[in-house]
Amino acid sequence: MRLPLLAALLAVGVTGPACSGTGAPAKPERVKIGFLVKQPEEPWFQNEWRFASKAAAGLGFDLVKIGAVDGERVLTAIDSLSAQGAQGFVICTPDVRLGPAIVAKARTHGLKVMSVDDQFVGADGKFMDVPHMGISAREIGRVVGRALHEEMTRRGFRTAETGLCLPTRDELDTARERTEGVVEALVAAGFPADRVYKAPQKTTDVPGGMDAGNIVLTQHADVKKWLVAGMNDEAVLGGVRAIEGRGLKPADIVGIGIGGDVARVEFERGQPTGLYATVLISPRRHGYETSELMFKWIRDGVAPPAATYTTGLLMTRDTFKAVMQEQGLTE
Ligand code: GLA
């Protein structure tokens, strides 16, 4: 945080206070946008930043990337953005219930806000009226559920020896919808609902998925073949690692994630692992398009659509190279 703070001080020093008594402040010449993410170390968010930077370079605005891992840091970051002369920001918040505080803080500084990935929830428990881009969570979950069933059938797993290991994060709507979609489609395809074994994740990363996976495995030590799903690649990879850690072979595990970049690293390994496939979602759309929408909102006064839900594409170890290339995600 040392650099942005320094930049903030310099910005104030150079331009002088906003209310200098000379009438309306001059219209800023260059647009400056913040892009705040909840887990800056994760490939998904690194990629959102990468594509947001491309938008900044291509469209000609300044981008301030901020890792905001808790509420305090989010609020400090908004103050700092305002001091640096930003006019708006895109955010994946560390907690969707911070929505009202984020909007209130942005309003005091006159900053525009758009959420990405995780949609703000108001005090009434409903989604807030803030422009949002997220994934079509339930539909993507269903794609995972159908693919799990197809692959277990292809491998000849018997239902009586198979279980679904499902780390869950029900307090985050986009996560709950994804895992509910998985179960809906799997059960609709004939998988017994009583062989769905869930455990809540404390964190939405690989260790969080692994801890949840280990809880499931301890409770169901008799299961011989595992299907694994979850809210993202990290959750599924955590579950898969927990199962592999108990000596099961990749041939007995069908893990299907949601994301793409974590799975890609796994697919690039020489030997197949329990992570069989993923549904590729688009960090390009979530990073580039959200920044572009914010830019046009600031520059032209055109507000972004209320909500945009992006789609996904199933890809396996065999198809990922072609699919990612087609999506421009290989550089
Ligand atoms: C959430 C998850 C991320 C990613 C995005 C996609 O924020 O934590 O890993 O799946 O959704 O919108």
Side-chain angles (χ1 to χ4, degrees):
M1 291 308 290
R2 265 167 48 211
L3 267 182
L5 254 180
L6 179 63
L9 294 173
L10 286 174
V12 171
V14 171
T15 58
C19 47
S20 54
T22 56
K27 206 175 170 212
E29 297 198 335
R30 198 168 159 89
V31 170
K32 185 180 272 191
I33 295 173
F35 203 113
L36 285 67
V37 303
K38 64 177 180 179
Q39 287 164 307
E41 71 292 350
E42 298 232 327
W44 170 259
F45 296 107
Q46 297 271 335
N47 277 324
E48 279 187 343
W49 271 349
R50 187 157 66 86
F51 287 112
S53 301
K54 287 197 175 178
L59 299 165
F61 62 86
D62 294 330
L63 183 78
V64 186
K65 298 182 282 189
I66 303 174
V69 298
D70 58 35
E72 203 182 312
R73 265 175 261 204
V74 170
L75 298 178
T76 317
I78 300 173
D79 286 334
S80 152
L81 279 171
S82 167
Q84 292 177 60
Q87 301 94 346
F89 61 93
V90 178
I91 179 168
C92 177
T93 172
D95 183 342
V96 290
R97 289 163 304 181
L98 287 169
I102 293 170
V103 169
K105 175 67 100 179
R107 204 167 281 158
T108 61
H109 291 304
L111 293 174
K112 295 182 163 49
V113 193
M114 171 164 191
S115 56
V116 67
D117 301 320
D118 301 355
Q119 195 164 9
F120 294 164
V121 173
D124 57 0
K126 299 207 176 94
F127 288 135
M128 292 179 68
D129 193 12
V130 168
H132 175 70
M133 183 182 287
I135 66 166
S136 331
R138 188 171 298 272
E139 193 38 54
I140 286 174
R142 289 183 183 132
V143 170
V144 172
R146 285 194 287 269
L148 284 171
H149 196 265
E150 258 170 45
E151 184 58 15
M152 85 169 254
T153 308
R154 198 181 67 80
R155 293 194 199 177
F157 288 7
R158 287 186 301 114
T159 305
E161 61 179 10
T162 308
L164 171 68
C165 171
L166 189 65
T168 56
R169 180 82 170 177
D170 285 349
E171 59 270 45
L172 178 61
D173 289 279
T174 181
R176 182 180 48 74
E177 287 184 25
R178 296 174 201 188
T179 49
E180 283 179 359
V182 171
V183 176
E184 273 168 29
L186 196 56
V187 170
F191 192 82
D194 63 0
R195 299 195 69 83
V196 170
Y197 305 132
K198 300 180 191 173
Q201 308 178 234
K202 292 203 182 73
T203 52
T204 60
D205 51 11
V206 177
M210 191 154 166
D211 290 348
N214 274 319
I215 290 168
V216 167
L217 294 174
T218 304
Q219 290 170 344
H220 303 283
D222 55 316
V223 172
K224 303 276 185 306
K225 316 272 187 194
W226 281 107
L227 310 181
V228 191
M231 65 167 294
N232 55 16
D233 280 352
E234 289 83 347
V236 178
L237 189 62
V240 163
R241 288 284 182 269
I243 298 168
E244 289 172 342
R246 299 201 179 207
L248 271 85
K249 298 281 164 285
D252 298 325
I253 310 166
V254 184
I256 303 187
I258 295 173
D261 282 285
V262 171
R264 170 197 190 171
V265 173
E266 194 75 355
F267 295 158
E268 278 166 351
R269 290 156 68 119
Q271 293 299 314
T273 72
L275 191 73
Y276 166 70
T278 189
V279 178
L280 176 69
I281 54 177
S282 177
R284 176 192 287 279
R285 295 201 60 189
H286 287 231
Y288 193 106
E289 270 184 44
T290 51
S291 314
E292 183 177 25
L293 287 167
M294 177 55 72
F295 172 67
K296 292 188 170 160
W297 195 6
I298 294 165
R299 191 193 58 180
D300 309 330
V302 182
T308 308
Y309 295 104
T310 59
T311 54
L313 284 171
L314 186 75
M315 59 181 200
T316 64
R317 170 179 281 267
D318 294 334
T319 63
F320 82 98
K321 281 198 184 119
V323 174
M324 291 189 90
Q325 189 147 21
E326 237 173 69
Q327 298 304 307
L329 290 169
T330 39
E331 341 91 76

